[in-house]
Amino acid sequence: VNATLSTITGVPTTQTAVATLFGNVKQSLPTTENFQGFVGSHQTAIAQLSIQYCAVLVDDAALRTQFFGAGLNVGAPLDGTARTLIADRLIERMLNNGATPLATQPDPATVRTELNALMDRLQTRGASTPTIVKAACAAVAGSAGMLVH
């Protein structure tokens, strides 16, 4: 899980905040690929790790530009173009939406709809653009789309 999150976000596993959190939640992560042994504490640890990776990704200008491109301005309110960019990059890079997609991956159109609904709710409640991007990122990074292979 840690290596996968690092690969899909571009944030190194050695980044201080990530490495510290991983050390704290390592024992709570799944130890096998058997879904029958998957419990709530596994999902909680995955969510915490996903949130940390996404926070570092969004807060680091170089990593953010590498992942989202130069078109994402986290200092400006989200508009339709920014939302599309965010959803496109998250789906492309986190859900194996390439030339040979997995049979079990989430439907990209459904993910896009849910991401837009999440961004709408957060924007309506006054969340900042960086917070909205982090939340959208963590929602995809911590989902079964990342975990199931």
Side-chain angles (χ1 to χ4, degrees):
V1 170
N2 192 43
T4 298
L5 288 169
S6 176
T7 298
I8 64 176
T9 61
V11 176
T13 58
T14 56
Q15 195 278 342
T16 305
V18 166
T20 300
L21 180 62
F22 178 68
N24 292 337
V25 301
K26 185 177 179 180
Q27 297 297 319
S28 298
L29 290 167
T31 56
T32 69
E33 294 180 8
N34 182 351
F35 278 120
Q36 292 176 331
F38 195 84
V39 296
S41 63
H42 296 151
Q43 186 58 50
T44 301
I46 290 167
Q48 290 175 316
L49 212 50
S50 298
I51 291 165
Q52 187 64 56
Y53 269 99
C54 289
V56 171
L57 170 64
V58 174
D59 289 342
D60 184 295
L63 290 171
R64 184 177 63 242
T65 299
Q66 180 182 350
F67 188 92
F68 291 104
L72 181 61
N73 179 0
V74 295
L78 286 182
D79 60 12
T81 302
R83 286 167 172 255
T84 299
L85 174 65
I86 293 164
D88 285 350
R89 293 297 190 273
L90 292 174
I91 291 167
E92 285 170 13
R93 298 181 182 200
M94 294 187 178
L95 295 182
N96 191 29
N97 197 28
T100 55
L102 298 174
T104 58
Q105 73 179 3
D107 174 49
T110 302
V111 173
R112 185 178 309 284
T113 298
E114 293 300 323
L115 285 173
N116 275 309
L118 173 63
M119 289 187 273
D120 282 342
R121 285 190 303 275
L122 292 171
Q123 200 165 25
T124 299
R125 288 173 174 81
S128 67
T129 297
T131 298
I132 295 169
V133 178
K134 290 173 191 177
C137 174
V140 179
S143 73
M146 176 281 295
L147 188 61
V148 178
H149 63 287

